[in-house]
Amino acid sequence: MRKFKTFTVPREGEKISFKNKKLLVPDYPVIPYIEGDGIGTDIMPAAQKVLNAAVEKSYGPGRKLVWVEIFAGEKAFKKYGEWIPKETYEAIRFFMVSLKGPLTTPIGGGYRSLNVTLRQILDLYACVRPVRYFEGVPAPVKSPQDVNLVIFRENTEDVYAGLEWKKGTPEAKKLISFLNKTLKARVRPDSGVGIKPISAFATKRLVRKALQYALDNNRKTVTLIHKGNIMKFTEGAFRDWGYEVAKKEFGKLTVLEEELRGAEVPPGKIVVNDRIADSIFQQILIRPKEYDVLACPNLVGDFLSDAAAAQVGGLGMAPGGNIGEGTALFEATHGTAPKYAGQNKVNPGSLILSGAMLLEYLGWKEAAGLIYAGLEKALRQKTVTYDLERQMSGAQLVSTSGFADRIVAHLNESRLPQPEAVS
Ligand code: NAP
């Protein structure tokens, strides 16, 4: 096993590997984790406790997650004088599957988002966010149980590519001059400017992943989301390249909505369609049952995943994973909520559910199933953290660690789900 300077790998830990596009998971995989800033110190231990309990109940001593702490954010800066030390990238790459708490990002200046940097440098090109309802969670819509979406957001390009220049800088002036003189555009000289690259390569691998996910998980539809009526050569091209992948690479397994013309979907086939970005926001509110897997460019995917999460009760319960070719970093989708840091108060649900996604990614579906069962029971019994308690009548307030303890107690009471019952 390779040696690292910033952490020691326990002897029992083994490395996950990736061969022929398949993850090979040992019984005692090393799982690096980044605790995170702010409430990271509260939610990470809570999530690890739940994950460990679910694995132990499912497999006894036969399997175990071997956690090693790696560093990013404020803790890394204090210890090593760097926001993300080189070894952190290397460990995520080397061990393949990791868990991450939230990291602080300053707005409008300072360093670039550490979250975006991690995703881009590690080429974790698909941000995967399942959005489903858990009974008992207060939600603002009438039928939150109809929402069951998985959003695949492109993670490496679009306006997040970092190609942005401040008003008045030599770069901004040069670019504006090029645009106005050479391309005969009309950009005001006092503009800040940004570039929105969307490539065939990045679009196709994202849509390919979404289609493969839909096939592996018996999903019915993959919808390409775009604002192609306005941005024809970026967002419009995203749609066209998405259809190209569906037709050329998944042609026998998919049918296009426009070819169906209202007819029944042939058995075993996935419907591929597209929706304009502004319309999908109202579609998922009004007709959520019609949507299933959504493949999106970066910016609209960011907005849409938070909006969809709000429909089922908010970010406190929304999990996420950033996935590349094998390498995966699962993370809470909310931020560091600094005003609650260290108070053992906030909801660890998002990180716990991201941990359940991690277990599913390892193929440990029984353990993930137990987490869902334990969480559902805690919610049904209304023993919840402050964010949910303030919206539920007759609820009992518990702390972050208290919520994790309740989930552990409930999952220990649960029967092991059959693998085929877990999706
Ligand atoms: P935030 O940290 O998500 O917090 C906003 C509000 O959301 C909190 O005040 C709280 O609402 C609620 N909330 C968030 N997490 C919660 C939890 N686990 N349980 C219960 N309630 C929770 O957003 P922010 O204040 O805009 O951002 C703070 C920092 O986090 C920024 O530096 C931002 O860049 C960063 N951030 C990081 C990530 C990431 O690491 N992936 C993502 C988003 C933001 P109430 O006040 O109503 O109780």
Side-chain angles (χ1 to χ4, degrees), residues 246-274:
K247 281 194 270 191
K248 280 199 183 148
E249 300 177 29
F250 294 84
K252 292 202 173 109
L253 302 164
T254 58
V255 57
L256 305 192
E257 185 182 68
E258 61 186 30
E259 291 166 358
L260 268 179
R261 293 169 202 268
E264 289 269 302
V265 180
K269 291 215 176 189
I270 289 173
V271 178
V272 180
N273 56 18
D274 72 280

Side-chain angles (χ1 to χ4, degrees), residues 165-166 168-182 189 191 193:
W165 292 277
K166 195 173 172 179
T169 55
E171 292 85 357
K173 284 184 187 161
K174 203 168 174 182
L175 186 54
I176 292 171
S177 156
F178 171 76
L179 290 169
N180 289 348
K181 285 191 186 138
T182 311
S191 303
V193 279

Side-chain angles (χ1 to χ4, degrees), residues 88-160:
T88 294
Y89 296 112
E90 289 170 1
I92 296 171
R93 263 197 210 107
F94 184 75
F95 292 109
M96 311 280 319
V97 179
S98 312
L99 187 65
K100 171 186 157 300
L103 296 171
T104 307
T105 306
I107 297 173
Y111 56 85
R112 205 166 160 230
S113 162
L114 301 181
N115 303 302
V116 174
T117 307
L118 276 166
R119 292 169 198 159
Q120 291 190 348
I121 292 194
L122 293 162
D123 201 23
L124 303 172
Y125 60 83
C127 175
V128 183
R129 291 192 179 172
V131 183
R132 57 164 279 201
Y133 181 63
F134 287 94
E135 197 192 319
V137 176
V141 298
K142 282 190 203 144
S143 306
Q145 69 281 358
D146 290 348
V147 179
N148 189 349
L149 304 169
V150 183
I151 298 175
F152 279 71
R153 164 189 168 199
E154 204 290 321
N155 238 351
T156 64
E157 44 182 39
D158 196 351
V159 288
Y160 283 69

Side-chain angles (χ1 to χ4, degrees), residues 39 43 100-107 115 119 129 315-316 331-340 345-350 385-387 390:
I39 54 172
I43 59 176
K100 171 186 157 300
L103 296 171
T104 307
T105 306
I107 297 173
N115 303 302
R119 292 169 198 159
R129 291 192 179 172
L315 286 180
E331 66 174 345
T333 53
H334 56 71
T336 59
K339 67 181 175 186
Y340 297 124
K345 179 175 170 123
V346 293
N347 187 349
S350 170
T385 45
Y386 85 97
D387 53 316
R390 68 187 171 188

Side-chain angles (χ1 to χ4, degrees), residues 1 9-16 26-31 66 95:
M1 177 76 74
V9 180
R11 283 181 143 230
E12 60 186 354
E14 297 166 88
K15 182 186 155 3
I16 295 173
D27 289 334
Y28 280 47
V30 174
I31 308 290
V66 179
F95 292 109

